[in-house]
């Protein structure tokens, strides 16, 4: 089987990147391989995680482009195309990507967001949910379009918001779900099971009553 070549974009701690790399090593990423990690920030833990895993990693610092977003995006695209990336995964990547980037990878960019979209898009999804007083929070993996966290939803997982939660506790609970959902979506895409019909996304072969909302525990967790 020809593998799906994955490029992962990061900006920070890279725990989602780690979940992808761990899944790949454990054979849970299907026919997908992480071929490149790009960080827009130097010195972040995500870079070290890639190095430890032996994955090619590079910093493309957005600050070096002095506000010229098009040039920054061109540099990212160039690097990703040079290693023939099929799928771009935004795993805690904190820059918005525009038309020129998305046109280089049409329908091939996914993002993980720490909220149940369409609620609480943009920065600090967890804090937004807490301040709003939501009782259920969670995470979403979605295709990226030109809006902010507005592309078609691929999968979501929910967690309760507890009365004594602070932002840190809620973010940790959500993050644990992110680490389950994101590698799974990459595997589904690599296996050709993700079918897009307008805004609706179907995962082929999950079973009659299943959807890509993740319960806990999930039979597939053990797979
Ligand atoms: C994750 O919670 C991710 O959902 C969020 O940043 C965190 C990155 O953690 N992303 C966004 O808010 C994107 N708008 P990580 O670096 O440990 O994977």
């Amino acid at each position: 089987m020809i593998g799906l070549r994955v490029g992962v974009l990061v900006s920070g701690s890279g725990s989602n990147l780690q979940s992808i790399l761990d899944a790949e090593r454990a054979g849970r990423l299907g026919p997908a391989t992480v071929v490149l990690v790009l960080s827009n920030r130097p010195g972040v833990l995500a870079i070290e995680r890639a190095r430890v895993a032996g994955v090619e990693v590079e910093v493309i610092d957005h600050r070096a482009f002095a506000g010229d977003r098009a040039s920054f995006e061109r540099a990212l695209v160039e690097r990703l195309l040079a290693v023939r990336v099929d799928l771009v995964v935004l795993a805690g990547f904190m820059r918005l990507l525009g038309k020129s980037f998305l046109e280089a990878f049409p329908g091939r960019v996914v993002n993980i967001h720490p909220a149940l979209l369409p609620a609480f898009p943009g920065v600090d999804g967890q804090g937004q949910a807490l301040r709003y007083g939501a009782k259920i929070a969670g995470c979403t993996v979605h295709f990226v379009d030109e809006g902010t966290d507005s592309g078609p939803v691929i999968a979501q997982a929910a967690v309760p918001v507890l009365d004594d939660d602070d932002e840190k506790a809620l973010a940790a609970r959500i993050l644990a779900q992110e680490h389950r959902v994101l590698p799974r979506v990459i595997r589904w895409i690599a296996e050709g099971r993700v079918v897009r019909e307008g805004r609706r996304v179907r995962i082929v072969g999950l079973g009659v009553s299943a959807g890509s909302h993740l319960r806990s525990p999930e039979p597939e967790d053990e797979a």
Side-chain angles (χ1 to χ4, degrees), residues 72-185:
F72 170 60
E73 290 188 7
R74 241 188 333 269
L76 293 174
V77 168
E78 221 166 78
R79 259 331 263 125
L80 292 162
L81 290 179
V83 292
R84 293 176 287 113
V85 157
D86 303 304
L87 176 72
V88 178
V89 176
L90 311 184
F93 184 67
M94 296 304 187
R95 308 295 300 174
L96 288 177
L97 293 171
K99 201 182 169 104
S100 70
F101 185 93
L102 297 175
E103 279 178 357
F105 303 98
R108 294 253 154 197
V109 184
V110 301
N111 177 47
I112 183 137
H113 181 74
L116 292 175
L117 293 171
F120 315 129
V123 292
D124 192 20
Q126 309 95 325
Q128 289 187 61
L130 205 57
R131 287 189 293 276
Y132 187 86
K135 300 296 184 194
I136 305 280
C139 62
T140 303
V141 178
H142 63 93
F143 285 112
V144 176
D145 65 11
E146 281 182 56
T148 302
D149 302 319
S150 56
V153 170
I154 306 169
Q156 295 185 306
V159 300
V161 181
L162 305 182
D163 287 348
D164 57 357
D165 269 347
D166 57 14
E167 240 186 83
K168 198 168 160 219
L170 180 59
R173 194 173 306 118
I174 293 171
L175 203 53
Q177 295 304 311
E178 296 184 36
H179 297 162
R180 299 172 67 216
V181 179
L182 188 54
R184 193 163 315 197
V185 167

